[in-house]
Amino acid sequence: MSLEIITENRCFEGRQLRFRHRAETLDCDMHGAIYLPPQAAREPVPLLYWLSGLTCTDENFVQKAGAQRYAAEHGVAIVAPDTSPRGDDVPDDPEGSWDLGLGAGFYLNASQDPWQRHYRMYDYITDELPELLPEAFPVDPERSSIFGHSMGGHGALVIALHNPARYASVSAFAPIVAPTRCPWGEKAFSHYLGPDREAWKAYDSCELIAAGAPQLPMLIDQGEADNFLESQLKTELLEQACQENSYEATIRRHPGYDHSYYFIASFVGSHIGFHARALEQAAG
Amino acid sequence: MSLEIITENRCFEGRQLRFRHRAETLDCDMHGAIYLPPQAAREPVPLLYWLSGLTCTDENFVQKAGAQRYAAEHGVAIVAPDTSPRGDDVPDDPEGSWDLGLGAGFYLNASQDPWQRHYRMYDYITDELPELLPEAFPVDPERSSIFGHSMGGHGALVIALHNPARYASVSAFAPIVAPTRCPWGEKAFSHYLGPDREAWKAYDSCELIAAGAPQLPMLIDQGEADNFLESQLKTELLEQACQENSYEATIRRHPGYDHSYYFIASFVGSHIGFHARALEQAAG
């Protein structure tokens, strides 16, 4: 299981790396990006997982979020995986849409053909990367947190709610909080998971909270000028689930902000600070 | 002379705008980007001109430099023009290279055919935009500074050295300091300005300093792992010109940093702070 570094750029006195490896879980070659802060030159540092949204690759966050400054300040590494399996033999939506198939893995394990062989992003994020990354980089697997945007916000929330002992904290920008009740989620889940809607609930944050998922520190930011808020993101369903189940989460709504990386850049420092504090408490 | 705003994104409580207008100087339609910090909602703010490098458009800096945070902090607007005239009737390098023609205007006024009709970026930056922008946005034309990267670092230096009363300060990342003595500059100048090398000197920072250009606050950052340092950028020629002519400039060399936006992002906060202080002193 070899990992190859293909680019390296010095950034805020740390290292922005892009790597390539054979992903056993996904049965394909994958690219990924990791920022190692200057502190990582001396000792293993905590690791933040960033999960990107629909159509993204491992590169969008790295180039557009401006996160390296804060990662360097707080001494945390940030890994940005790709958003789906990749490669010529990986099936894509035959209709060529951008919300199913390549770039739209939804961070789940597919159970249906033709998807189930490669589309296992849940296992990739929760099993393969946590084993691979500490072997290749000076990161401490015992101190991890997770965050993401949109489809990746959904992924971060679902993964953290299923594994509260493995992540010190979770946060999301404009997450899809209830994929079983929005067009993006219904389309993807019906293809990846089949017609049985009961099986979908394992990948729906609101359902997991309603089913009694254990508490972990949770921060959500949502722009009120986000074009997808009403139709796809439905933040109010998460607010409702948290209230009904006494689940503590900080859910902030920001007037004027949209779904773009300009929104993420504006608040990513706040998120990284939130995770750094949770990781410090978890270690202490 | 109408200017149309085509996109707007809220960012760090300010506004990131992209605009389109008919550029009289360039005889073509142009795009540009401007960030207005939150302070601009109350009163006109100082204006920083950012000039990008070869192959860039108005979008690279805006998406990749992470500058908005610092602009919001210091209350300065940043305008990012495109790097050349654009459009179907604008001549390009017939050989299709990326260092001549579209995306490679070199911030000069061309004197040769077929370039001279459209390639007048010097006049565009120094005359047209300073007139246009305060009409369209709450920016104070009396408080301007200028900076840029690579070809745009060359542009910023040359424009500031020719117009020291109009810019409070100038800075550059990895600038082409002596285009009359490097392959990029020699190729571009021979096409745009013709064979008379005497005419080239008006667009060479080292030549302008040697000819006694007046002092203004100047900051240069150069990465020592920059692939273009030896062949094209030749920072040592600027160091030499400054020393020989008692021109005060802060020229910093940074081990490990390359020519990319990761380098720019790492130090752009330092540059914006430098300009903000100069702009405050100029106003005071």
Side-chain angles (χ1 to χ4, degrees):
Chain A
M1 193 165 57
S2 69
L3 179 150
E4 183 192 359
I5 292 174
I6 51 177
T7 64
E8 168 161 359
N9 300 91
R10 194 159 180 83
C11 190
F12 286 98
E13 301 293 303
R15 303 162 71 200
Q16 180 65 57
L17 306 172
R18 192 166 190 227
F19 60 86
R20 180 167 50 201
H21 75 118
R22 179 74 194 173
E24 305 294 334
T25 323
L26 307 174
D27 194 14
C28 68
D29 290 332
M30 290 289 281
H31 287 89
I34 190 167
Y35 177 70
L36 296 174
Q39 294 86 344
R42 298 190 297 274
E43 57 185 2
V45 295
L47 179 59
L48 257 173
Y49 288 82
W50 170 265
L51 305 185
S52 286
L54 288 165
T55 76
C56 287
T57 69
D58 59 298
E59 298 194 291
N60 303 66
F61 177 79
V62 164
Q63 293 178 357
K64 293 185 171 181
Q68 292 92 348
R69 175 193 167 149
Y70 308 101
E73 190 180 316
H74 292 286
V76 297
I78 305 182
V79 64
D82 204 345
T83 54
S84 75
R86 300 280 181 181
D88 291 344
D89 65 336
V90 172
D92 194 7
D93 180 9
E95 293 177 18
S97 70
W98 49 268
D99 53 4
L100 179 70
L102 298 180
F106 272 85
Y107 304 100
L108 49 73
N109 293 333
S111 60
Q112 307 294 304
D113 282 330
W115 312 103
Q116 58 180 329
R117 176 172 158 210
H118 296 287
Y119 283 77
R120 306 189 62 79
M121 289 296 290
Y122 183 92
D123 282 353
Y124 179 64
I125 303 295
T126 59
D127 290 339
E128 185 161 352
L129 286 181
E131 191 171 324
L132 176 73
L133 297 174
E135 287 173 10
F137 305 110
V139 295
D140 177 1
E142 302 301 313
R143 289 180 291 161
S144 297
S145 288
I146 190 164
F147 65 154
H149 173 232
S150 197
M151 176 184 75
H154 142 74
L157 289 169
V158 163
I159 284 171
L161 288 167
H162 275 299
N163 304 278
R166 293 179 49 183
Y167 302 95
S169 47
V170 60
S171 77
F173 296 85
I176 304 169
V177 301
T180 63
R181 288 182 277 174
C182 76
W184 280 341
E186 290 176 300
K187 177 178 175 182
F189 286 13
S190 63
H191 282 85
Y192 295 141
L193 303 173
D196 176 12
R197 285 180 171 248
E198 274 304 305
W200 298 7
K201 291 184 177 178
Y203 297 109
D204 183 299
S205 301
C206 288
E207 293 288 350
L208 295 177
I209 287 172
Q215 182 73 52
L216 80 167
M218 182 181 291
L219 169 66
I220 312 288
D221 276 327
Q222 176 60 53
E224 291 193 331
D226 186 324
N227 285 335
F228 302 113
L229 175 51
E230 273 187 45
S231 58
Q232 305 281 5
L233 307 175
K234 299 176 185 275
T235 314
E236 70 280 4
L237 295 180
L238 182 65
E239 290 166 333
Q240 192 185 332
C242 287
Q243 195 176 1
E244 289 175 2
N245 297 279
S246 301
Y247 199 98
E248 282 178 39
T250 301
I251 303 175
R252 308 186 294 200
R253 287 168 173 267
H254 301 278
Y257 285 90
D258 58 29
H259 201 65
S260 72
Y261 264 94
Y262 298 110
F263 165 56
I264 297 172
S266 300
F267 298 100
V268 74
S270 169
H271 283 237
I272 293 171
F274 164 79
H275 291 296
R277 286 188 295 276
L279 286 159
E280 206 167 302
Q281 289 185 345
Chain B
M1 193 164 56
S2 69
L3 178 151
E4 183 193 0
I5 292 174
I6 51 177
T7 63
E8 169 162 356
N9 300 92
R10 195 160 180 83
C11 191
F12 286 98
E13 300 294 301
R15 304 161 70 199
Q16 180 64 58
L17 306 172
R18 192 167 192 228
F19 60 85
R20 179 167 51 200
H21 75 117
R22 179 76 195 170
E24 304 295 334
T25 322
L26 307 175
D27 195 15
C28 68
D29 291 333
M30 289 289 281
H31 287 88
I34 190 168
Y35 177 71
L36 297 174
Q39 294 85 344
R42 298 190 298 274
E43 57 186 1
V45 295
L47 179 58
L48 257 173
Y49 288 82
W50 170 266
L51 306 186
S52 286
L54 287 165
T55 78
C56 287
T57 69
D58 58 298
E59 298 194 291
N60 303 66
F61 177 78
V62 164
Q63 294 177 356
K64 294 185 170 180
Q68 292 93 347
R69 174 191 169 153
Y70 309 99
E73 189 180 317
H74 292 287
V76 298
I78 305 181
V79 64
D82 204 343
T83 54
S84 76
R86 298 281 181 181
D88 291 343
D89 65 336
V90 173
D92 194 8
D93 179 9
E95 294 178 14
S97 70
W98 50 268
D99 54 4
L100 180 70
L102 298 180
F106 273 83
Y107 305 101
L108 50 72
N109 293 332
S111 62
Q112 306 296 304
D113 282 329
W115 313 103
Q116 60 179 329
R117 177 172 157 211
H118 296 286
Y119 283 76
R120 305 189 61 78
M121 290 295 289
Y122 182 92
D123 282 353
Y124 179 63
I125 303 294
T126 59
D127 290 340
E128 186 161 352
L129 287 181
E131 192 172 324
L132 176 73
L133 297 174
E135 287 174 9
F137 304 110
V139 294
D140 177 1
E142 301 302 314
R143 288 180 291 161
S144 298
S145 289
I146 190 163
F147 65 156
H149 173 232
S150 196
M151 176 185 74
H154 142 74
L157 290 169
V158 163
I159 285 172
L161 289 167
H162 275 298
N163 303 277
R166 293 179 49 183
Y167 303 95
S169 47
V170 60
S171 77
F173 297 84
I176 304 169
V177 301
T180 63
R181 289 182 275 173
C182 75
W184 280 341
E186 289 177 301
K187 176 177 175 182
F189 286 13
S190 64
H191 282 85
Y192 295 142
L193 303 173
D196 176 12
R197 284 179 172 250
E198 274 304 305
W200 298 7
K201 292 185 176 176
Y203 297 109
D204 183 299
S205 300
C206 288
E207 292 288 350
L208 295 176
I209 286 171
Q215 182 74 51
L216 81 167
M218 182 181 291
L219 169 65
I220 311 288
D221 277 328
Q222 175 62 52
E224 291 192 332
D226 186 324
N227 285 335
F228 302 113
L229 174 51
E230 274 187 45
S231 58
Q232 305 281 5
L233 307 175
K234 300 177 184 273
T235 313
E236 71 279 6
L237 295 180
L238 183 65
E239 290 165 333
Q240 190 185 336
C242 287
Q243 196 176 0
E244 288 175 2
N245 297 278
S246 303
Y247 199 97
E248 283 178 37
T250 302
I251 303 176
R252 308 187 293 200
R253 289 169 173 265
H254 301 278
Y257 286 90
D258 59 29
H259 201 64
S260 72
Y261 264 93
Y262 297 111
F263 165 56
I264 297 173
S266 300
F267 298 99
V268 74
S270 169
H271 283 236
I272 293 172
F274 164 78
H275 291 296
R277 286 188 295 278
L279 286 159
E280 206 168 300
Q281 288 184 345

mmCIF file of all heavy atoms in Angstrom, chain B residues 123-150:
data_model
loop_
_atom_site.group_PDB
_atom_site.id
_atom_site.type_symbol
_atom_site.label_atom_id
_atom_site.label_comp_id
_atom_site.label_asym_id
_atom_site.label_seq_id
_atom_site.Cartn_x
_atom_site.Cartn_y
_atom_site.Cartn_z
ATOM 1 N N ASP B 123 -1.732 52.175 -19.986
ATOM 2 C CA ASP B 123 -2.742 53.237 -19.927
ATOM 3 C C ASP B 123 -4.026 52.761 -19.241
ATOM 4 O O ASP B 123 -4.689 53.532 -18.547
ATOM 5 C CB ASP B 123 -3.090 53.732 -21.341
ATOM 6 C CG ASP B 123 -2.025 54.680 -21.881
ATOM 7 O OD1 ASP B 123 -1.097 55.054 -21.123
ATOM 8 O OD2 ASP B 123 -2.123 55.047 -23.071
ATOM 9 N N TYR B 124 -4.371 51.520 -19.468
ATOM 10 C CA TYR B 124 -5.577 50.963 -18.846
ATOM 11 C C TYR B 124 -5.475 51.005 -17.313
ATOM 12 O O TYR B 124 -6.405 51.427 -16.624
ATOM 13 C CB TYR B 124 -5.776 49.528 -19.329
ATOM 14 C CG TYR B 124 -6.967 48.806 -18.760
ATOM 15 C CD1 TYR B 124 -8.271 49.241 -18.996
ATOM 16 C CD2 TYR B 124 -6.798 47.652 -17.975
ATOM 17 C CE1 TYR B 124 -9.367 48.556 -18.469
ATOM 18 C CE2 TYR B 124 -7.883 46.960 -17.461
ATOM 19 C CZ TYR B 124 -9.156 47.420 -17.708
ATOM 20 O OH TYR B 124 -10.238 46.733 -17.193
ATOM 21 N N ILE B 125 -4.315 50.592 -16.802
ATOM 22 C CA ILE B 125 -4.121 50.546 -15.344
ATOM 23 C C ILE B 125 -3.930 51.948 -14.764
ATOM 24 O O ILE B 125 -4.439 52.253 -13.686
ATOM 25 C CB ILE B 125 -2.884 49.672 -14.979
ATOM 26 C CG1 ILE B 125 -3.010 48.251 -15.552
ATOM 27 C CG2 ILE B 125 -2.660 49.657 -13.471
ATOM 28 C CD1 ILE B 125 -4.121 47.423 -14.979
ATOM 29 N N THR B 126 -3.203 52.798 -15.474
ATOM 30 C CA THR B 126 -2.860 54.092 -14.876
ATOM 31 C C THR B 126 -3.875 55.192 -15.170
ATOM 32 O O THR B 126 -3.975 56.154 -14.409
ATOM 33 C CB THR B 126 -1.475 54.587 -15.357
ATOM 34 O OG1 THR B 126 -1.502 54.694 -16.788
ATOM 35 C CG2 THR B 126 -0.375 53.626 -14.944
ATOM 36 N N ASP B 127 -4.644 55.059 -16.255
ATOM 37 C CA ASP B 127 -5.591 56.127 -16.606
ATOM 38 C C ASP B 127 -7.047 55.692 -16.530
ATOM 39 O O ASP B 127 -7.865 56.331 -15.874
ATOM 40 C CB ASP B 127 -5.318 56.641 -18.030
ATOM 41 C CG ASP B 127 -4.021 57.427 -18.108
ATOM 42 O OD1 ASP B 127 -3.549 57.886 -17.047
ATOM 43 O OD2 ASP B 127 -3.485 57.568 -19.223
ATOM 44 N N GLU B 128 -7.370 54.609 -17.224
ATOM 45 C CA GLU B 128 -8.790 54.267 -17.359
ATOM 46 C C GLU B 128 -9.395 53.747 -16.052
ATOM 47 O O GLU B 128 -10.452 54.217 -15.621
ATOM 48 C CB GLU B 128 -9.003 53.253 -18.498
ATOM 49 C CG GLU B 128 -10.472 52.998 -18.747
ATOM 50 C CD GLU B 128 -10.746 52.391 -20.125
ATOM 51 O OE1 GLU B 128 -9.823 52.307 -20.943
ATOM 52 O OE2 GLU B 128 -11.912 52.015 -20.353
ATOM 53 N N LEU B 129 -8.731 52.791 -15.438
ATOM 54 C CA LEU B 129 -9.300 52.241 -14.191
ATOM 55 C C LEU B 129 -9.368 53.271 -13.062
ATOM 56 O O LEU B 129 -10.388 53.334 -12.365
ATOM 57 C CB LEU B 129 -8.532 50.991 -13.739
ATOM 58 C CG LEU B 129 -8.770 49.729 -14.573
ATOM 59 C CD1 LEU B 129 -7.960 48.564 -14.006
ATOM 60 C CD2 LEU B 129 -10.257 49.370 -14.632
ATOM 61 N N PRO B 130 -8.347 54.095 -12.876
ATOM 62 C CA PRO B 130 -8.448 55.089 -11.798
ATOM 63 C C PRO B 130 -9.591 56.083 -12.001
ATOM 64 O O PRO B 130 -10.063 56.692 -11.035
ATOM 65 C CB PRO B 130 -7.090 55.806 -11.854
ATOM 66 C CG PRO B 130 -6.171 54.799 -12.440
ATOM 67 C CD PRO B 130 -6.993 54.044 -13.450
ATOM 68 N N GLU B 131 -10.029 56.242 -13.251
ATOM 69 C CA GLU B 131 -11.171 57.113 -13.499
ATOM 70 C C GLU B 131 -12.477 56.336 -13.315
ATOM 71 O O GLU B 131 -13.436 56.820 -12.715
ATOM 72 C CB GLU B 131 -11.086 57.665 -14.925
ATOM 73 C CG GLU B 131 -12.060 58.799 -15.204
ATOM 74 C CD GLU B 131 -11.769 59.431 -16.571
ATOM 75 O OE1 GLU B 131 -10.562 59.521 -16.940
ATOM 76 O OE2 GLU B 131 -12.738 59.783 -17.258
ATOM 77 N N LEU B 132 -12.482 55.130 -13.826
ATOM 78 C CA LEU B 132 -13.700 54.315 -13.819
ATOM 79 C C LEU B 132 -14.107 53.844 -12.422
ATOM 80 O O LEU B 132 -15.280 53.910 -12.037
ATOM 81 C CB LEU B 132 -13.465 53.088 -14.709
ATOM 82 C CG LEU B 132 -14.571 52.042 -14.789
ATOM 83 C CD1 LEU B 132 -15.730 52.575 -15.607
ATOM 84 C CD2 LEU B 132 -14.039 50.743 -15.392
ATOM 85 N N LEU B 133 -13.138 53.348 -11.665
ATOM 86 C CA LEU B 133 -13.476 52.645 -10.417
ATOM 87 C C LEU B 133 -14.132 53.550 -9.373
ATOM 88 O O LEU B 133 -15.139 53.150 -8.769
ATOM 89 C CB LEU B 133 -12.237 51.941 -9.850
ATOM 90 C CG LEU B 133 -11.661 50.847 -10.764
ATOM 91 C CD1 LEU B 133 -10.355 50.295 -10.211
ATOM 92 C CD2 LEU B 133 -12.674 49.714 -10.974
ATOM 93 N N PRO B 134 -13.624 54.774 -9.145
ATOM 94 C CA PRO B 134 -14.291 55.614 -8.145
ATOM 95 C C PRO B 134 -15.703 56.051 -8.574
ATOM 96 O O PRO B 134 -16.513 56.413 -7.720
ATOM 97 C CB PRO B 134 -13.361 56.832 -8.024
ATOM 98 C CG PRO B 134 -12.047 56.354 -8.517
ATOM 99 C CD PRO B 134 -12.367 55.377 -9.608
ATOM 100 N N GLU B 135 -15.980 56.005 -9.866
ATOM 101 C CA GLU B 135 -17.348 56.289 -10.311
ATOM 102 C C GLU B 135 -18.289 55.149 -9.962
ATOM 103 O O GLU B 135 -19.470 55.353 -9.715
ATOM 104 C CB GLU B 135 -17.378 56.491 -11.838
ATOM 105 C CG GLU B 135 -16.784 57.799 -12.303
ATOM 106 C CD GLU B 135 -16.725 57.860 -13.833
ATOM 107 O OE1 GLU B 135 -17.293 56.963 -14.492
ATOM 108 O OE2 GLU B 135 -16.086 58.798 -14.351
ATOM 109 N N ALA B 136 -17.748 53.937 -9.969
ATOM 110 C CA ALA B 136 -18.604 52.759 -9.801
ATOM 111 C C ALA B 136 -18.614 52.199 -8.381
ATOM 112 O O ALA B 136 -19.568 51.536 -7.980
ATOM 113 C CB ALA B 136 -18.142 51.657 -10.768
ATOM 114 N N PHE B 137 -17.554 52.470 -7.616
ATOM 115 C CA PHE B 137 -17.415 51.839 -6.291
ATOM 116 C C PHE B 137 -16.958 52.874 -5.258
ATOM 117 O O PHE B 137 -16.307 53.862 -5.617
ATOM 118 C CB PHE B 137 -16.378 50.702 -6.358
ATOM 119 C CG PHE B 137 -16.681 49.653 -7.394
ATOM 120 C CD1 PHE B 137 -15.885 49.538 -8.536
ATOM 121 C CD2 PHE B 137 -17.763 48.796 -7.245
ATOM 122 C CE1 PHE B 137 -16.161 48.577 -9.499
ATOM 123 C CE2 PHE B 137 -18.049 47.833 -8.203
ATOM 124 C CZ PHE B 137 -17.255 47.726 -9.335
ATOM 125 N N PRO B 138 -17.243 52.623 -3.972
ATOM 126 C CA PRO B 138 -16.820 53.564 -2.922
ATOM 127 C C PRO B 138 -15.340 53.440 -2.602
ATOM 128 O O PRO B 138 -14.959 52.965 -1.539
ATOM 129 C CB PRO B 138 -17.706 53.175 -1.732
ATOM 130 C CG PRO B 138 -18.013 51.725 -1.948
ATOM 131 C CD PRO B 138 -18.055 51.523 -3.435
ATOM 132 N N VAL B 139 -14.503 53.844 -3.550
ATOM 133 C CA VAL B 139 -13.048 53.843 -3.339
ATOM 134 C C VAL B 139 -12.519 55.256 -3.540
ATOM 135 O O VAL B 139 -13.040 56.023 -4.341
ATOM 136 C CB VAL B 139 -12.323 52.865 -4.301
ATOM 137 C CG1 VAL B 139 -12.718 51.426 -3.997
ATOM 138 C CG2 VAL B 139 -12.621 53.206 -5.763
ATOM 139 N N ASP B 140 -11.488 55.584 -2.775
ATOM 140 C CA ASP B 140 -10.927 56.936 -2.758
ATOM 141 C C ASP B 140 -9.733 56.992 -3.704
ATOM 142 O O ASP B 140 -8.679 56.419 -3.404
ATOM 143 C CB ASP B 140 -10.497 57.257 -1.321
ATOM 144 C CG ASP B 140 -9.824 58.616 -1.214
ATOM 145 O OD1 ASP B 140 -9.703 59.317 -2.247
ATOM 146 O OD2 ASP B 140 -9.414 58.977 -0.098
ATOM 147 N N PRO B 141 -9.873 57.668 -4.853
ATOM 148 C CA PRO B 141 -8.779 57.659 -5.840
ATOM 149 C C PRO B 141 -7.514 58.346 -5.335
ATOM 150 O O PRO B 141 -6.441 58.155 -5.918
ATOM 151 C CB PRO B 141 -9.376 58.413 -7.038
ATOM 152 C CG PRO B 141 -10.474 59.248 -6.468
ATOM 153 C CD PRO B 141 -11.005 58.506 -5.279
ATOM 154 N N GLU B 142 -7.625 59.117 -4.272
ATOM 155 C CA GLU B 142 -6.440 59.800 -3.733
ATOM 156 C C GLU B 142 -5.590 58.876 -2.861
ATOM 157 O O GLU B 142 -4.513 59.266 -2.423
ATOM 158 C CB GLU B 142 -6.869 61.023 -2.915
ATOM 159 C CG GLU B 142 -7.671 62.051 -3.705
ATOM 160 C CD GLU B 142 -6.878 62.564 -4.912
ATOM 161 O OE1 GLU B 142 -5.695 62.881 -4.742
ATOM 162 O OE2 GLU B 142 -7.455 62.608 -6.021
ATOM 163 N N ARG B 143 -6.131 57.697 -2.545
ATOM 164 C CA ARG B 143 -5.354 56.756 -1.718
ATOM 165 C C ARG B 143 -5.255 55.416 -2.447
ATOM 166 O O ARG B 143 -6.137 54.579 -2.332
ATOM 167 C CB ARG B 143 -6.020 56.572 -0.344
ATOM 168 C CG ARG B 143 -5.883 57.805 0.566
ATOM 169 C CD ARG B 143 -6.556 57.552 1.910
ATOM 170 N NE ARG B 143 -8.018 57.476 1.786
ATOM 171 C CZ ARG B 143 -8.833 56.922 2.685
ATOM 172 N NH1 ARG B 143 -8.327 56.377 3.784
ATOM 173 N NH2 ARG B 143 -10.137 56.925 2.502
ATOM 174 N N SER B 144 -4.182 55.255 -3.227
ATOM 175 C CA SER B 144 -3.977 54.034 -4.002
ATOM 176 C C SER B 144 -2.572 53.486 -3.781
ATOM 177 O O SER B 144 -1.623 54.244 -3.597
ATOM 178 C CB SER B 144 -4.148 54.311 -5.497
ATOM 179 O OG SER B 144 -5.456 54.760 -5.783
ATOM 180 N N SER B 145 -2.486 52.179 -3.802
ATOM 181 C CA SER B 145 -1.190 51.513 -3.845
ATOM 182 C C SER B 145 -1.291 50.385 -4.863
ATOM 183 O O SER B 145 -2.383 50.099 -5.364
ATOM 184 C CB SER B 145 -0.798 50.975 -2.464
ATOM 185 O OG SER B 145 -0.467 52.042 -1.597
ATOM 186 N N ILE B 146 -0.157 49.754 -5.156
ATOM 187 C CA ILE B 146 -0.175 48.772 -6.242
ATOM 188 C C ILE B 146 0.781 47.634 -5.917
ATOM 189 O O ILE B 146 1.863 47.848 -5.371
ATOM 190 C CB ILE B 146 0.170 49.473 -7.588
ATOM 191 C CG1 ILE B 146 -0.064 48.544 -8.785
ATOM 192 C CG2 ILE B 146 1.577 50.043 -7.588
ATOM 193 C CD1 ILE B 146 -0.150 49.293 -10.122
ATOM 194 N N PHE B 147 0.339 46.402 -6.241
ATOM 195 C CA PHE B 147 1.219 45.247 -6.080
ATOM 196 C C PHE B 147 0.879 44.181 -7.110
ATOM 197 O O PHE B 147 -0.126 44.304 -7.823
ATOM 198 C CB PHE B 147 1.235 44.717 -4.641
ATOM 199 C CG PHE B 147 -0.037 44.119 -4.068
ATOM 200 C CD1 PHE B 147 0.040 43.201 -3.021
ATOM 201 C CD2 PHE B 147 -1.296 44.476 -4.518
ATOM 202 C CE1 PHE B 147 -1.096 42.644 -2.454
ATOM 203 C CE2 PHE B 147 -2.448 43.927 -3.945
ATOM 204 C CZ PHE B 147 -2.341 42.999 -2.910
ATOM 205 N N GLY B 148 1.733 43.168 -7.230
ATOM 206 C CA GLY B 148 1.484 42.142 -8.223
ATOM 207 C C GLY B 148 2.472 40.998 -8.128
ATOM 208 O O GLY B 148 3.359 40.996 -7.275
ATOM 209 N N HIS B 149 2.289 40.042 -9.037
ATOM 210 C CA HIS B 149 3.058 38.795 -9.010
ATOM 211 C C HIS B 149 3.723 38.530 -10.358
ATOM 212 O O HIS B 149 3.047 38.587 -11.391
ATOM 213 C CB HIS B 149 2.105 37.633 -8.684
ATOM 214 C CG HIS B 149 2.726 36.262 -8.774
ATOM 215 N ND1 HIS B 149 2.164 35.251 -9.515
ATOM 216 C CD2 HIS B 149 3.842 35.752 -8.197
ATOM 217 C CE1 HIS B 149 2.913 34.159 -9.387
ATOM 218 N NE2 HIS B 149 3.935 34.426 -8.607
ATOM 219 N N SER B 150 5.015 38.282 -10.354
ATOM 220 C CA SER B 150 5.735 37.849 -11.553
ATOM 221 C C SER B 150 5.616 38.922 -12.650
ATOM 222 O O SER B 150 6.058 40.047 -12.441
ATOM 223 C CB SER B 150 5.199 36.486 -12.004
ATOM 224 O OG SER B 150 6.070 35.870 -12.913
#
